[in-house]
Amino acid sequence: MGNIDLLTLIALVIAVIAILKLRSVLGRRTSDDEARIDRRIRAREAQERAAAAGEKVVTLPGRTNDGDGPSADSNADREAIRERIETFAGDDRQLSSSLMDIVSVEPSFDPEQFMSGAKQAYEMIVMAFAEGNQRLLRDLLSTDVFEGFSEAISDREAAGQQVDQSFVGINSAKMIEAELKDGHLANLTVKFVCQLISATRDRDGEVLSGDPQRVQEVTDVWTFSRDLRSNDPNWRLIGTQSPN
């Protein structure tokens, strides 16, 4: 009672030493760790401020400011990026080549993630136009496109018309063209096929066009653009066209 044999004492000493070594290793934080954590905190705070301000953006997926994203610094990295782009583009060699031009400026660019954001933006823009939400549209459209949308909304409101619209879903979305202009301006064109229930009513609620009971298929070809040199993460809609 009260006595500790030699083996027990040795075991206790070893355990204490092991704990101290683990703490020294696991608890150590390098200056690079501190800087990386600080950058992530600032980035998260910026995103929260943007959300609080009601900003709607289509960000460049995968882009980070702390160097953690993919890079093209090694042959292995470049080959992996090329395989990713070629898989996305399929047989379209022109699209693949243009996307590689964009990746050469922004190595973290991922076309699959861009398409995910583009589909979200498409729904947001279609619904914002129907609702007359010009504040949201201003954040997502180029100046020229916004002016066209804004004029159409104003004409509709002046005529006392209202659009009743429900977004059913996107049947398909496919990138059909990519371009890098002047070495820094990325333009990406996407063909959307979606389903909507839409009807335009007059002041008295009578249907002028569309059908509030029927799902219709709509096809749009939209071009999004972003200056890759800019710190602004927004991709903005710069052009709309009817499919050929």
Side-chain angles (χ1 to χ4, degrees):
M1 296 295 293
N3 295 325
I4 300 178
D5 59 51
L6 181 60
L7 291 177
T8 302
L9 181 59
I10 292 174
L12 288 173
V13 171
I14 292 173
V16 171
I17 293 174
I19 291 171
L20 291 175
K21 284 186 175 295
L22 283 172
R23 289 185 59 186
S24 67
V25 173
L26 298 178
R28 184 182 300 145
R29 181 178 293 171
T30 67
S31 59
D32 288 341
D33 292 333
E34 294 284 358
R36 184 177 294 108
I37 291 171
D38 184 56
R39 284 193 293 268
R40 286 178 174 171
I41 291 174
R42 290 200 303 269
R44 187 179 301 112
E45 290 175 345
Q47 292 173 350
E48 290 173 352
R49 287 195 299 270
E55 296 177 4
K56 301 296 184 181
V57 299
V58 184
T59 60
L60 184 66
R63 180 175 182 175
T64 62
N65 294 321
D66 59 6
D68 289 342
S71 68
D73 292 339
S74 70
N75 290 333
D77 289 334
R78 286 193 292 271
E79 185 59 29
I81 290 172
R82 181 174 296 280
E83 289 180 2
R84 183 182 71 197
I85 294 300
E86 290 179 350
T87 298
F88 175 84
D91 296 331
D92 192 334
R93 295 185 178 275
Q94 181 60 50
L95 178 61
S96 176
S97 176
S98 298
L99 289 174
M100 284 302 299
D101 290 340
I102 293 173
V103 170
S104 69
V105 180
E106 186 61 74
S108 62
F109 174 74
D110 186 329
E112 291 284 1
Q113 292 185 23
F114 168 83
M115 289 300 298
S116 177
K119 286 187 282 189
Q120 295 176 32
Y122 178 79
E123 180 177 353
M124 289 166 59
I125 292 170
V126 167
M127 293 306 299
F129 176 70
E131 296 165 359
N133 187 344
Q134 298 195 49
R135 178 180 178 182
L136 175 56
L137 291 173
R138 189 184 297 274
D139 290 330
L140 294 171
L141 311 181
S142 68
T143 300
D144 291 343
V145 175
F146 174 76
E147 288 177 353
F149 276 48
S150 178
E151 182 178 355
I153 291 172
S154 296
D155 290 345
R156 191 174 68 205
E157 292 175 347
Q161 297 175 358
Q162 180 178 341
V163 176
D164 291 338
Q165 184 163 278
S166 297
F167 193 91
V168 178
I170 295 177
N171 289 349
S172 65
K174 181 180 180 181
M175 187 183 297
I176 59 175
E177 188 175 341
E179 178 186 27
L180 182 66
K181 295 181 63 176
D182 302 323
H184 63 90
L185 190 64
N187 295 333
L188 302 174
T189 301
V190 181
K191 180 179 180 180
F192 297 96
V193 179
C194 75
Q195 289 187 324
L196 296 172
I197 300 174
S198 183
T200 301
R201 300 179 184 272
D202 63 14
R203 296 181 187 274
D204 299 323
E206 296 296 324
V207 176
L208 298 175
S209 61
D211 187 336
Q213 305 297 325
R214 184 175 66 88
V215 176
Q216 58 180 318
E217 185 175 276
V218 177
T219 300
D220 287 308
V221 178
W222 286 8
T223 299
F224 297 91
S225 181
R226 180 179 179 271
D227 187 342
L228 300 181
R229 300 177 306 180
S230 172
N231 290 326
D232 183 354
N234 291 0
W235 285 85
R236 285 187 166 83
L237 179 64
I238 65 168
T240 64
Q241 58 183 303
S242 299
N244 294 330

